[in-house]
Amino acid sequence: MNNGFTHYKNNIYTKIVGVNEVGKLYSINPYAVYKGELFPASEESKTGKVLLVTTNTELAKKMGFKRTDKYMYSKSVEWDEVEIIEERKPYSLD
């Protein structure tokens, strides 16, 4: 907060900066390793669990996922059941 950040919610703080103040930008995508398989992951706001998703029908059946849309399957798991990894890709405003 001493550096100009404002509290948004929970443990999230924000600050608006000029493009010339930024050294590097990244696009960060979270993934979870669950039972040896890699899935896109996010935190469920209602339960606080890890939400895993896939469009792979066979993998979904094998892992006990539920169909949540025409081609999407999902499953909520506890944090200690997964290993979270991040994919960082350089990002450009150009």
Side-chain angles (χ1 to χ4, degrees):
M1 304 263 300
N2 292 340
N3 293 319
F5 284 84
T6 56
H7 183 253
Y8 175 66
K9 65 179 179 180
N10 299 331
N11 62 346
I12 300 172
Y13 295 83
T14 62
K15 179 179 179 179
I16 297 173
V17 297
V19 174
N20 61 340
E21 296 178 76
V22 178
K24 293 182 181 179
L25 292 174
Y26 295 96
S27 172
I28 302 173
N29 298 304
Y31 291 92
V33 178
Y34 176 68
K35 296 185 178 181
E37 299 287 346
L38 189 65
F39 298 96
S42 61
E43 182 178 5
E44 284 189 307
S45 58
K46 292 181 183 178
T47 65
K49 292 183 177 184
V50 181
L51 178 64
L52 309 175
V53 296
T54 186
T55 56
N56 182 324
T57 304
E58 293 304 315
L59 183 59
K61 288 179 183 178
K62 175 183 164 187
M63 297 288 191
F65 283 45
K66 293 186 180 184
R67 187 174 176 181
T68 53
D69 201 2
K70 186 173 182 178
Y71 300 108
M72 186 65 67
Y73 299 85
S74 65
K75 182 174 186 174
S76 297
V77 298
E78 299 293 339
W79 287 92
D80 62 358
E81 296 180 75
V82 297
E83 175 190 354
I84 301 296
I85 59 173
E86 293 180 341
E87 173 189 65
R88 291 179 179 234
K89 292 182 178 180
Y91 184 82
S92 175
L93 295 175
D94 299 329

